[in-house]
Amino acid sequence: MPAQLTITGLAGIPLVQPGFDLAKLAIDGYAASGLVPEDGDVLVMAQKIVSKAEGRMVDVAAVEPSSEAIALGAETEKDPRLIEVILSESHRIVRHRPNLVIAEHKLGFVMANAGIDHSNVAPGGGDQFVLLLPEDPDASAAQLRRKLRELTGKAIAVIVSDSFGRPWRRGTVGIAIGAAGLPAVIDWRGLPDLFGRTLEVTETGFADEIAAAASLVMGQANEAMPIALVRGLHWTAPEADAAALVRPPEHDLFR
């Protein structure tokens, strides 16, 4: 692990619209920030700009709710059209109460509203548009990494980050929902601790730790800093995408 890291929000990133080239925007952000790409850089990109660039917006006003969505909407006091979008993105509804729906997303994430969000979306069509998660955040990160390599000749890792709440903890933190070019999880099992005791269960959510650190710069509201450069990290563990961070159901004591 390094003695020092730097986390820099890349300047000059515009409001992203469907079809934007995020790799090119990142390179422009390097230049606007007075930086040049280096091998080993990690770019953390907010899920919202990835979803926007991929056109993952839905007009709730055009959604026809099912009977299931109407019933759940009545129980949660939410728009049944929004509930229908949540259901379409989910394997199952985990818990619900008025004004809250916790769902297991099709990608395995357990999160509020299946990750569907109104904030910082407005594409010019009013507040009826919502943003879905990327269909495959790991594939999105891998594609961005390839494009960055083509543009710069450098090996730059990419994390797609989102803000999650956590069971039994207040507040949201940045986590990795997509990753490419680094180990999302580092397995320390079998290695000794400071006193020679063999570690038996220790695994580090490496990509989540990076995403959480970057979110301190990227912010959660109107900071307009959707791409952060993390520099100074080193790793030797094999690469693994963010899907490796999702706990398998058979290891989950609470399902």
Side-chain angles (χ1 to χ4, degrees):
M1 290 294 101
Q4 181 176 3
L5 293 177
T6 61
I7 304 173
T8 307
L10 296 187
I13 306 299
L15 291 176
V16 171
Q17 299 295 333
F20 274 28
D21 186 336
L22 295 183
K24 185 177 184 306
L25 290 184
I27 300 308
D28 292 344
Y30 270 100
S33 304
L35 299 166
V36 295
E38 295 181 3
D39 287 327
D41 283 354
V42 179
L43 287 183
V44 181
M45 297 199 174
Q47 165 265 320
K48 282 188 174 64
I49 66 169
V50 177
S51 291
K52 285 181 179 180
E54 295 179 356
R56 295 285 287 161
M57 288 181 286
V58 172
D59 183 358
V60 173
V63 173
E64 185 69 29
S66 63
S67 57
E68 182 184 2
I70 292 170
L72 185 56
E75 292 181 31
T76 59
E77 302 172 5
K78 284 181 173 286
D79 186 335
R81 299 170 300 177
L82 175 62
I83 295 293
E84 183 63 34
V85 181
I86 293 171
L87 291 173
S88 72
E89 289 290 292
S90 304
H91 279 313
R92 65 187 178 105
I93 302 301
V94 178
R95 291 286 189 276
H96 65 81
R97 62 166 172 74
N99 202 37
L100 178 65
V101 176
I102 304 296
E104 181 183 350
H105 190 276
K106 291 183 292 187
L107 295 168
F109 310 128
V110 177
M111 56 198 310
N113 296 332
I116 294 163
D117 201 353
H118 284 93
S119 64
N120 292 324
V121 175
D127 62 0
Q128 292 296 301
F129 282 82
V130 295
L131 200 62
L132 313 182
L133 297 186
E135 289 190 16
D136 187 340
D138 281 323
S140 301
Q143 182 179 8
L144 285 164
R145 175 171 162 80
R146 287 192 296 269
K147 186 66 179 292
L148 288 163
R149 185 64 179 257
E150 292 172 4
L151 291 173
T152 68
K154 302 297 183 181
I156 299 172
V158 175
I159 289 174
V160 179
S161 70
D162 196 5
S163 299
F164 268 45
R166 300 152 297 155
W168 307 292
R169 303 285 290 181
R170 295 181 65 180
T172 61
V173 297
I175 71 151
I177 63 169
L182 51 72
V185 177
I186 297 179
D187 188 349
W188 299 101
R189 291 174 296 181
L191 297 177
D193 68 9
L194 283 173
F195 303 101
R197 183 180 183 276
T198 300
L199 299 173
E200 297 180 358
V201 297
T202 303
E203 295 177 284
T204 298
F206 189 56
D208 279 348
E209 290 190 323
I210 298 168
S215 71
L216 294 172
V217 171
M218 299 166 74
Q220 303 285 344
N222 63 353
E223 292 85 355
M225 195 67 67
I227 304 178
L229 165 63
V230 181
R231 182 168 281 177
L233 286 167
H234 305 280
W235 58 85
T236 57
E239 294 180 11
D241 57 26
L245 289 160
V246 177
R247 189 184 301 278
E250 61 271 20
H251 295 166
D252 188 340
L253 299 180
F254 297 93
R255 290 194 209 204

